Amino acid sequence: MNSPLTFDQRIRFSSPSTSQNPKTAITRHQNLQISSLSTHSSSPKPFKNLPLPSTSLGIRLRHIPYELRAVVASRVRASSNDAESHASISSSDETGVLAAPSFVEFITSERVKVVSMLGLALALCNADRVVMSVAIVPLSLTYGWSRSFAGIVQSSFLWGYLISPIAGGALVDYYGGKVVMAWGVALWSLATFLTPWAAETSLWALLAMRTLLGVAEGVALPCMNNMIIRWFPQTERSRAVGIAMAGFQLGSAIGLTLSPILMSQGGVFGPFVIFGLSGFLWVLVWVSAASNTPEQNTQISKYELEYILNKRQKSFAVENKPKTGKMIPPFGRLLSKLPTWSLIVANAMHSWGFFVILSWMPIYFNSVYRVDLRQAAWFSAVPWSMMALVGYFAGVWADMLIRSGISVTLTRKIMQSIGFVGPGIALIGLTKAKSPSLASAWLTLAVGLKSFSHFGFLVNLQEIAPHYAGVLHGMSNTAGTFAAILGTVGAGFFVELVGSFQGFLLLTAFLYFLSALFWNIFSTGERVNFDETGQFAF
């Protein structure tokens, strides 16, 4: 018995564009099988009621055997689907991998909106932190505080900041960055807003508000890390950290420069009220617009979602699921690995230098170069603006290195080396400066290069342990707070004993060099197995 249609006749019914597609074309062998099926099979025809395509091709398909009709119809539908997905495919390469977005697409994307909101929160975080540094002088005159008690008021922030990062990091890993960040900003804004009331009520109330400020701000950086892990692929994380940390550094400049202006207009408590209310406004926007993951966001485009999911490491998909296990992290296993200690040492040194420069540079310019304190504040504020600017471009460079094929490990070591060795050399130059302008230039260089370390240890937290990034950040941040207290208090005692600020700056430079060496020996950009214990092994 002859087949109703010859092979050549069947080929003429196929779509030209589809027959050239190796993934959808019907081979000669398949056509012969269908022909044989339609000729010899006596079983009921399962495709008899198959709907025909709504094209002129449907008229001719009525004369095709039912089995072959199914294949041809499916090919027509596949061709239609290909046309519908053309826009998505056009932005992909030949392997189906979505192409990297342009600069305009990147800065207007939903993920940049999220990290920009994080940057605003970090700006408020640092502004609320440093406003007391400006207000402490008029407050001391008003309430008759001694210098020692003024130092206690200043350090009370660090008491709270010392205890919260580890617990806050664990909460972030468990509940996600959106909820914890909202509560953190709300609480530290409340503490800032109530500081005037507390100062007029009692000294204990004032210390309690400053401690609450430190407790609440301890969750800020772990939340930032948590959100960036989920929203940014690895090749964009340095840039994302650069944007967020630019806000953090600008917060120092904003707090140092705006506080005197606000005080002149609204009294000594004016900055506390304005910054506190700004934090409440931020929380309202954050809660209504942000989401923990791109998958939960209702505003994200299909292309951006596919790009993030395509580029994000597959292992991170587990983190998007609700956690049902114990919230207590495995501290013993985390501390048994040398990459963890490289993070702890790096964060400690970073905080040492940060708080020493933030706290003592105005006094340094006043005592060494006889610069007026108000002018010294400006000398000290300029480097933080430079740090924000240099930090963004350093993040872009770090992402470019990874995309060019340089390993993540080597990239993080390069960034951290510049971030520690550079400031160390600049601080040595600062001790040799003969004028305040030259000293400010060296200080600006030191703080600007210091921003490179954000793309060393700060991003590395996300890479060696994405499941424990929050608690790792908390652990290293606690070590950093200890170092900040030791450096800030130690600088005063060192100057009293030795009689020289330059000697303490040289000590800080030496510690920078040692920390860079430790980092380059023991850090890694690869994921570390924290599910097994080991004595300083990875």
Side-chain angles (χ1 to χ4, degrees), residues 364 368 491 494-505:
Y364 177 80
V368 175
F494 187 95
V495 172
E496 286 185 4
L497 291 174
V498 180
S500 170
F501 264 114
Q502 285 86 344
F504 190 79
L505 293 176

Side-chain angles (χ1 to χ4, degrees), residues 239-260:
R239 250 187 299 179
V241 171
I243 294 172
M245 293 306 294
F248 189 73
Q249 309 309 334
L250 286 175
S252 299
I254 291 170
L256 289 171
T257 55
L258 283 187
S259 292

Side-chain angles (χ1 to χ4, degrees), residues 386-467:
M386 179 60 66
M387 189 177 192
L389 180 64
V390 173
Y392 175 76
F393 290 104
V396 172
W397 183 39
D399 286 338
M400 289 175 59
L401 290 178
I402 295 175
R403 284 199 299 269
S404 68
I406 294 178
S407 70
V408 176
T409 298
L410 180 57
T411 300
R412 301 308 171 212
K413 290 184 177 182
I414 291 173
M415 295 294 112
Q416 194 65 54
S417 296
I418 297 174
F420 276 0
V421 176
I425 295 174
L427 288 180
I428 294 175
L430 176 60
T431 63
K432 306 298 181 182
K434 302 300 182 182
S435 68
S437 298
L438 187 58
S440 180
W442 279 113
L443 182 62
T444 301
L445 180 62
V447 174
L449 293 177
K450 184 178 173 61
S451 65
F452 278 80
S453 65
H454 295 156
F455 316 106
F457 82 92
L458 195 56
V459 183
N460 190 240
L461 289 160
Q462 308 162 3
E463 294 162 342
I464 71 169
H467 285 82

Side-chain angles (χ1 to χ4, degrees), residues 23 37 96 103 111 131 197 259 296 312 325 404 430 439 480 516 530:
K23 295 184 179 179
L37 202 79
F103 176 74
R111 61 191 183 279
V131 65
W197 166 85
S259 292
Q296 298 171 354
R312 195 168 58 187
S404 68
L430 176 60
F530 287 107

Side-chain angles (χ1 to χ4, degrees), residues 9 26 33 57 66 84 88 96 141 143 160 162 174 204 288 301 304 334 342 374 414 436 460 480 484 495:
Q9 287 174 321
I26 304 176
Q33 283 184 324
L57 182 61
Y66 300 118
E84 293 176 0
S88 177
L141 294 175
Y143 295 105
L162 183 65
Y174 195 81
W204 287 109
S288 62
S301 67
E304 184 179 3
L334 292 174
S342 70
R374 287 179 297 178
I414 291 173
N460 190 240
V495 172

Side-chain angles (χ1 to χ4, degrees), residues 41-159:
S41 175
S42 59
S43 59
K45 299 178 176 58
F47 305 105
K48 185 172 183 178
N49 297 322
L50 184 73
L52 296 173
S54 58
T55 64
S56 60
L57 182 61
I59 300 174
R60 291 187 290 172
L61 284 176
R62 297 184 185 278
H63 304 288
I64 301 177
Y66 300 118
E67 296 82 355
L68 181 59
R69 182 187 303 175
V71 178
V72 177
S74 68
R75 291 165 59 187
V76 173
R77 287 194 298 271
S79 178
S80 176
N81 291 338
D82 288 343
E84 293 176 0
S85 61
H86 175 74
S88 177
I89 294 176
S90 64
S91 60
S92 308
D93 58 23
E94 295 180 355
T95 62
V97 178
L98 292 174
S102 65
F103 176 74
V104 175
E105 290 172 332
F106 175 76
I107 62 174
T108 58
S109 64
E110 198 66 26
R111 61 191 183 279
V112 169
K113 294 177 185 176
V114 171
V115 80
S116 298
M117 284 294 294
L118 291 171
L120 286 175
L122 294 180
L124 288 170
C125 174
N126 236 14
D128 291 350
R129 181 184 303 181
V130 303
V131 65
M132 183 58 78
S133 301
V134 180
I136 195 69
V137 175
L139 286 175
S140 298
L141 294 175
T142 301
Y143 295 105
W145 295 343
S146 64
R147 286 204 170 189
S148 59
F149 185 79
I152 293 174
V153 173
Q154 287 274 59
S155 65
S156 59
F157 161 81
L158 292 172
W159 305 347

Side-chain angles (χ1 to χ4, degrees), residues 130 133 154 158 256 351-364 380 384 484 487-489 491 501:
V130 303
S133 301
Q154 287 274 59
L158 292 172
L256 289 171
S351 297
W352 173 294
F354 179 89
F355 281 97
V356 164
I357 293 174
L358 187 67
S359 302
W360 286 101
M361 284 303 99
I363 300 176
Y364 177 80
S380 301
W384 301 112
T488 303
V489 176
F501 264 114

